Every structure is written in structure tokens, then in C-alpha cells.
Amino acid sequence: MRLRFGECVLDTGVRKLTRAGKEVLLSPKGFRLLEVLADRRPDAVSQDDLRKELWPDTVMGGTTIARLVSEVRSAVGPDVGSSGELI
């Protein structure tokens, strides 16, 4: 799937995020978080559902998710809205 939102393009086929035409590096879990959120847009995803998606066999605390959300927010930038278009 290729999804454009703001200045970003998320390409899950090649596991790549670009912003303003430049590749942005994300940790594997950060990329997976972005992938889950993109797949489920425009719906909200609960922390419990995120834990199940990202760590199916492990109990993780909320701060771990908060760190990943912070990583993804930094990667996509401050001006990204909730909409996106498949390309």
C-alpha cells in the first residue's frame, strides 16, 4: 500500500517512509505502529489494540507506546492531518 498524507508517503510494500521526498528512518516497531494506524484509518486505535499488534506475546507498558508515538510524530512532522489518500 502507498499512502500520501501531508508531505509524507508511506510505502508498506518496500517498508519506506518519505517526507518531502527524503527517506525518514524509523525503528521496526515505529514503522509497524505507523502501518497499523494507516491500515485502520480513520478509526482510533486503543492502546490495548496497539499492544496486541506490536507485541502479541509480551506485556508492555504504556510508556513504550508513548515513545513509539513520539518517534512517529517526529518522523511525519507537525502538520500532518488525519486524512490520507492511497496512491
Side-chain angles (χ1 to χ4, degrees):
M1 163 181 67
R2 291 188 72 204
L3 178 69
R4 181 187 320 267
F5 51 97
E7 296 182 314
C8 297
V9 175
L10 174 66
D11 188 334
T12 60
V14 294
R15 297 192 54 81
K16 185 163 123 177
L17 173 68
T18 57
R19 179 175 167 199
K22 296 181 182 178
E23 186 171 0
V24 179
L25 298 179
L26 283 171
S27 68
K29 290 291 185 187
F31 190 90
R32 180 66 186 133
L33 171 63
L34 187 55
E35 199 172 34
V36 168
L37 295 174
D39 284 343
R40 296 206 189 168
R41 74 186 188 294
D43 297 332
V45 183
S46 71
Q47 283 194 16
D48 191 46
D49 285 348
L50 288 175
R51 279 189 205 97
K52 289 175 187 173
E53 287 282 345
L54 298 169
W55 298 279
D57 300 321
T58 307
V59 176
M60 300 302 290
T63 58
T64 304
I65 291 174
R67 281 193 296 265
L68 283 178
V69 169
S70 179
E71 175 189 347
V72 170
R73 282 183 175 163
S74 293
V76 300
D79 298 328
V80 175
S82 60
S83 64
E85 64 178 283
L86 291 173
I87 55 173

